[in-house]
Amino acid sequence: MAQRLVSVWQPFFLGSESQAAAVDAATELEELGYSRLWFSGGFQENVAPRFREILDGTSRIGVASGIVSIWHSSPPEAAAFVQDAERAHPGRFLLGLGASHAVAVEGTGTAYRKPYSKMVEYLDGLDAAGLPPERRILAALGPRMLQLSRDRSAGAHPYFVPAEHTAEARAVIGPDRLLAPEVAVVLDPDATTARATARQYMSPYLALPNYANNLRRFGWADEDFVAGGSDRLVDALIPWGTAEQVAAGLEKHYQAGADEIAVQVLNGGDAKVFPADAFRALATVLI
């Protein structure tokens, strides 16, 4: 397994209306020692320019899409973006790809069908465009998509998963592929308010069949999904507490086989506010 890496997953980087503010936050995270920035590419037709803006505004930190939707960006367009970024910033951009969710995709007016087949077709297109597997990673939950991530990409970037999923993912993709789960956290030692923040974030994800069905595979039941999640589910998915307690929760994923954890700090769902203090506190115990 590769060296443990601590990265950042934060919607602020796409949600910020100010390019300068996004670059300033990225620069501080780079100085703090975080390895990579992950954020969604949204549902626009091409790869979001914000990825390149942050690459251009920083010097070392990696940048990854978590994710670019395979329904909204074509393989030639995605490959051209990555190849251009690679020429300007060798080794720093990783194209994270995902099939998203039927309700989200169809809400944009795009038909959603056979996501696994669509992903295979998309990867074929990237191959034809000359983008090597090591410059892409797949958002994978179930065994088939994990196997595809092993066989045709640099590895897997699961989202909204417990440590048990991380262990399963490592077993499926093997020791030589990158395993970089996203893990959301709450820096708040009060159980009531920390769990309330976690539930605000969890509630819409628990309504998505892909995530709920994935959790069922690990023994969670419908009663765990009510009202934003049972205490037991909240505690399994969202490390909360002091920086040291959060670090202990993240350690479970490293022990389960993660090479890199993309830490998302929950701050009430405001994508226009960057939780700088939380990442500074976490850096003191994680990096």
Side-chain angles (χ1 to χ4, degrees):
M1 191 168 63
Q3 176 187 4
R4 292 180 175 191
L5 301 174
V6 184
S7 293
V8 170
W9 200 111
Q10 209 64 26
F12 166 81
F13 289 104
L14 186 65
S16 172
E17 297 174 352
S18 166
Q19 175 186 342
V23 170
D24 285 347
T27 300
E28 179 174 7
L29 292 171
E30 179 177 71
E31 292 170 351
L32 288 170
Y34 288 97
S35 297
R36 199 185 329 253
L37 304 181
W38 297 79
F39 57 96
S40 171
F43 292 102
Q44 50 193 359
E45 291 302 315
N46 300 311
V47 180
R50 183 58 55 84
F51 293 106
R52 181 58 189 270
E53 291 166 0
I54 291 179
L55 284 169
D56 290 344
T58 54
S59 59
R60 302 181 307 278
I61 197 166
V63 177
S65 57
I67 57 157
V68 164
S69 167
I70 60 173
W71 309 96
H72 296 87
S73 179
S74 74
E77 290 166 342
F81 182 95
V82 180
Q83 289 160 347
D84 184 64
E86 184 68 12
R87 285 189 290 269
H89 305 285
R92 291 181 59 203
F93 185 72
L94 183 62
L95 178 68
L97 297 168
S100 189
H101 306 270
V103 64
V105 172
E106 291 174 352
T108 67
T110 300
Y112 185 96
R113 58 178 63 90
K114 296 184 177 180
Y116 179 86
S117 298
K118 175 70 172 179
M119 181 64 80
V120 171
E121 177 186 318
Y122 200 98
L123 294 174
D124 290 344
L126 292 179
D127 289 345
L131 185 70
E134 60 266 24
R135 302 275 20 109
R136 63 207 194 205
I137 192 168
L138 306 188
L141 292 178
R144 289 183 76 204
M145 198 66 81
L146 285 167
Q147 291 165 4
L148 190 64
S149 73
R150 174 196 65 202
D151 296 338
R152 301 196 59 184
S153 82
H157 173 52
Y159 188 98
F160 198 65
V161 294
E164 291 81 1
H165 182 276
T166 298
E168 178 190 81
R170 175 53 70 197
V172 172
I173 70 174
D176 300 324
R177 291 290 183 267
L178 174 65
L179 181 54
E182 173 273 348
V183 182
V185 306
V186 180
L187 263 73
D188 181 352
D190 182 273
T192 299
T193 55
R195 286 176 176 148
T197 299
R199 287 188 174 98
Q200 179 185 10
Y201 160 80
M202 290 171 57
S203 184
Y205 290 113
L206 292 175
L208 295 172
N210 292 8
Y211 289 132
N213 291 336
N214 185 59
L215 290 169
R216 289 187 181 99
R217 293 196 302 113
F218 295 92
W220 302 98
D222 288 347
E223 55 265 30
D224 291 303
F225 305 152
V226 176
S230 64
D231 282 355
R232 195 169 67 93
L233 181 59
V234 169
D235 295 349
L237 285 173
I238 314 293
W240 57 267
T242 65
E244 290 77 11
Q245 289 170 323
V246 166
L250 296 175
E251 178 64 21
K252 296 177 182 178
H253 286 270
Y254 286 121
Q255 290 292 332
D259 301 302
E260 174 180 346
I261 295 177
V263 180
Q264 179 177 181
V265 170
L266 302 182
N267 63 344
D270 191 344
K272 296 181 180 180
V273 175
F274 180 66
D277 289 343
F279 280 111
R280 291 167 191 152
L282 287 172
T284 66
V285 296
L286 293 174
I287 301 173

